[in-house]
Amino acid sequence: PAPAEAGRVPGPPDGGWGWVVVFGAFVSIGFAYAFPKGLAIFFKEIQDFFGTSYSEVAWVSSIMLATTYGAGPISSILVNRYGSRPVVMFGGLLCGVGMISAAFCTNILQLYLCVGFITGLGLALNLQPSVIIIGKYFLKRRPIANGLAMAGSPVMLCTLAPLNQFLFENFGWRGSFLILGAILLNCCVAGALFRPIGAGTALVKTQVTEEGKDALKGKITEDGPMENKTEEEGGKDCFEKVNRYLDFSLFKHRGFLIYLVGNVLMFLGFFAPIVFLAPYAKHTGVDEYSAAFLLSILAVVDMVARPTTGIVANSKWVRPRIQYFFSFAIAFNGACHLLCPLASSYTGLIVYSSFFGLAFGMVCAMLFETLMDLVGAARFTSAVGLVTIAECCTILLGPPIGGILIDTFGDYKYMFIKCGAVMVLAGTFLFIMNYYNYRMLAKEEKERKKKEEDPKSVRTENEGKKNWNKDSTQDGPELEPLREKGEGLKKEMNGT
């Protein structure tokens, strides 16, 4: 190929082997989200076996969730360094080793280590690479692909709940953990499906970039004395090594900061209603079987809502302004929780569970799609790692705050009102700030085109560098394939 074209990474195929990748992501994401919820079946027997309190046993799931979200930057660094396939396969191996080791634990602290940390880290290495690889295979059909992959969570939850109950009744918690460890090794098979794209061209691009850096360093050495610049260059090289695997410049990205603040606020009320739905039903006088059936209704509706939301989000009317659709889904979720205390009968709880499943599925289907729409596929790996570690704190705080409200007032309605109010506030914030962001992007794009069309406009080197930084910071993946070929060649010639 011509030198200018040699460094180009091929575009997403939007199909073909990509659908096999979606199936692998369906399995990996399903285990990552559903597995911590399905372990609650074994807690009562574990509590009696070790003679601990329920709160001590509940820390097993809390540590697992905290590790899964808190290890986001580690997962991002590994994906940037080695790619999605080996990271997911190693994560599946960690999950299997953690659960098999847990079958031989003799105290609760060993369970914290095996199930909480080792298995939680394995699930973290399954979740993010599965979402990242979809962005490399899809662009036009990406919302549909994300919706199908995210549907793995409710499908796995519906499957694991009866399976865990069957294993518990026939093999006890130790035998069940052995079998579940073997089942989790299927994540290695799912990871093997994640065939990388553009490995050869990416290598060429890296070589070209390194040659450009060497030439630039040589020029600096010729222009001035080396002694005065050695310390400064050493600091820059260190920062470049860190920024190569985790892009902290995203904190200067307007759209990323809006998404981060809105999601951190949203997760204060996102998971608590699921945790307390069955106890609330029992509190109103519903029997245990009927209370558990409410979660099944929620999971079934969620299962249908996620791929359907992906199809709607991919339409020509919604895709250009998908951030508004995401804001509406969050506010709709909050409105459902605000109306939940009005559901005093079992029929009302069924209606609430149905609408809750719909709203929950809408949010989950677009959770990562909207982030990729803002930062682009190239920077998504770092973005999802930084977002998950920020969300980790509010995910842990949400259910305990809800429990404190229930213990204080002796009624569940205040917990639902708190969750609903927080999510409505988060949805409103995202809607207003995304409207501002869209206006600013349109204004900046108009100014950029005006400068390009003006023949008398002569940009200095500093102005060109400033505009390039602005474009690379603000443009999402929707604008990347629309750039002119000549502009791309000019950028490559300039060493960018």
Side-chain angles (χ1 to χ4, degrees):
E5 297 289 339
R8 286 185 175 275
V9 177
D14 272 310
W17 188 261
W19 298 117
V20 181
V21 172
V22 169
F23 173 75
F26 176 91
V27 175
S28 297
I29 293 173
F31 277 123
Y33 277 120
F35 192 79
K37 303 172 187 175
L39 284 181
I41 291 175
F42 306 105
F43 283 177
K44 181 62 178 175
E45 185 179 358
I46 293 174
Q47 176 185 348
D48 297 337
F49 186 86
F50 291 122
T52 58
S53 64
Y54 185 81
S55 61
E56 290 175 325
V57 176
W59 272 105
V60 174
S61 289
S62 296
I63 294 173
M64 182 185 292
L65 282 172
T67 306
T68 301
Y69 280 85
I74 299 175
S75 182
S76 296
I77 291 172
L78 291 175
V79 171
N80 279 330
R81 179 66 178 85
Y82 301 104
S84 293
R85 174 187 276 177
V87 173
V88 174
M89 295 179 71
F90 180 66
L93 183 62
L94 278 181
C95 290
V97 169
M99 291 304 297
I100 292 172
S101 301
F104 301 97
C105 291
T106 56
N107 56 63
I108 194 69
L109 294 178
Q110 293 175 358
L111 275 182
Y112 292 162
L113 175 63
C114 295
V115 180
F117 287 106
I118 298 178
T119 306
L121 179 59
L123 294 178
L125 298 183
N126 272 272
L127 175 60
Q128 294 187 34
S130 302
V131 178
I132 291 166
I133 193 70
I134 292 176
K136 296 182 179 180
Y137 269 91
F138 290 90
L139 179 59
K140 294 181 180 178
R141 300 176 180 175
R142 195 179 62 218
I144 299 176
N146 273 321
L148 291 172
M150 295 298 289
S153 175
V155 172
M156 286 293 181
L157 184 59
C158 291
T159 305
L160 284 175
L163 175 63
N164 286 349
Q165 187 64 41
F166 172 79
L167 294 176
F168 172 72
E169 293 173 356
N170 290 274
F171 304 102
W173 71 271
R174 290 190 184 273
S176 300
F177 279 14
L178 279 173
I179 298 172
L180 288 174
I183 292 174
L184 283 174
L185 290 176
N186 284 286
C187 293
C188 298
V189 181
L193 300 176
F194 294 168
R195 187 169 63 193
I197 291 182
T201 53
L203 180 61
V204 174
K205 186 174 182 179
T206 304
Q207 293 174 351
V208 172
T209 305
E210 292 297 331
E211 290 174 2
K213 287 183 179 180
D214 293 339
L216 181 60
K217 288 182 179 179
K219 183 178 179 181
I220 293 175
T221 306
E222 293 173 1
D223 291 344
M226 189 67 181
E227 292 80 3
N228 297 334
K229 301 180 181 181
T230 303
E231 185 176 349
E232 182 181 354
E233 286 182 1
K236 287 184 178 179
D237 289 342
C238 181
F239 178 76
E240 286 177 358
K241 287 180 180 179
V242 176
N243 207 51
R244 179 182 175 187
Y245 299 113
L246 206 61
D247 190 1
F248 289 100
S249 66
L250 283 166
F251 288 107
K252 297 180 181 179
H253 190 296
R254 185 171 59 239
F256 174 79
L257 291 176
I258 293 171
Y259 178 91
L260 181 64
V261 174
N263 274 258
V264 168
L265 182 62
M266 176 194 73
F267 274 105
L268 275 174
F270 193 58
F271 286 117
I274 299 178
V275 175
F276 294 107
L277 176 58
Y280 173 61
K282 295 176 184 178
H283 179 73
T284 59
V286 177
D287 61 276
E288 293 184 0
Y289 176 80
S290 300
F293 184 66
L294 292 175
L295 291 175
S296 300
I297 294 174
L298 187 151
V300 171
V301 177
D302 183 11
M303 192 187 310
V304 178
R306 297 196 188 198
T308 305
T309 302
I311 295 173
V312 174
N314 197 57
S315 64
K316 62 181 181 180
W317 299 283
V318 178
R319 181 72 181 273
R321 293 292 183 266
I322 194 173
Q323 303 296 333
Y324 293 150
F325 191 33
F326 182 57
S327 305
F328 165 76
I330 295 174
F332 176 52
N333 207 318
C336 293
H337 302 328
L338 288 175
L339 296 175
C340 179
L342 300 178
S344 56
S345 64
Y346 185 67
T347 303
L349 289 176
I350 292 177
V351 174
Y352 164 72
S353 299
S354 302
F355 279 98
F356 182 22
L358 174 62
F360 190 82
M362 290 173 64
V363 173
C364 290
M366 293 185 291
L367 192 60
F368 295 110
E369 168 61 29
T370 49
L371 177 59
M372 194 178 298
D373 178 75
L374 287 169
V375 303
R379 308 176 76 188
F380 178 71
T381 306
S382 297
V384 71
L386 296 173
V387 166
T388 51
I389 194 172
E391 294 171 348
C392 171
C393 301
T394 50
I395 287 172
L396 281 178
L397 289 175
I401 291 175
I404 291 173
L405 291 174
I406 295 171
D407 293 337
T408 303
F409 297 100
D411 198 339
Y412 284 82
K413 67 179 182 179
Y414 297 102
M415 185 275 302
F416 284 102
I417 292 174
K418 184 269 298 182
C419 294
V422 166
M423 296 199 70
V424 169
L425 178 63
T428 306
F429 168 82
L430 285 173
F431 186 90
I432 295 173
M433 295 307 296
N434 281 317
Y435 173 76
Y436 167 75
N437 189 36
Y438 277 132
R439 289 288 300 271
M440 292 300 296
L441 286 175
K443 182 179 178 181
E444 291 164 0
E445 182 69 13
K446 186 176 179 181
E447 291 177 355
R448 185 178 66 85
K449 289 183 178 179
K450 185 178 180 180
K451 288 182 179 180
E452 290 177 353
E453 293 173 357
D454 187 3
K456 296 181 181 180
S457 176
V458 180
R459 294 188 293 180
T460 64
E461 184 179 353
N462 290 333
E463 288 175 339
K465 186 182 296 185
K466 180 180 179 181
N467 287 330
W468 182 87
N469 287 333
K470 180 189 70 177
D471 293 339
S472 63
T473 302
Q474 300 296 341
D475 286 353
E478 312 306 328
L479 298 179
E480 290 175 4
L482 302 181
R483 293 181 180 172
E484 295 293 335
K485 184 177 181 181
E487 184 183 353
L489 298 178
K490 183 173 66 178
K491 287 186 176 182
E492 290 181 0
M493 291 173 65
N494 289 334
T496 61

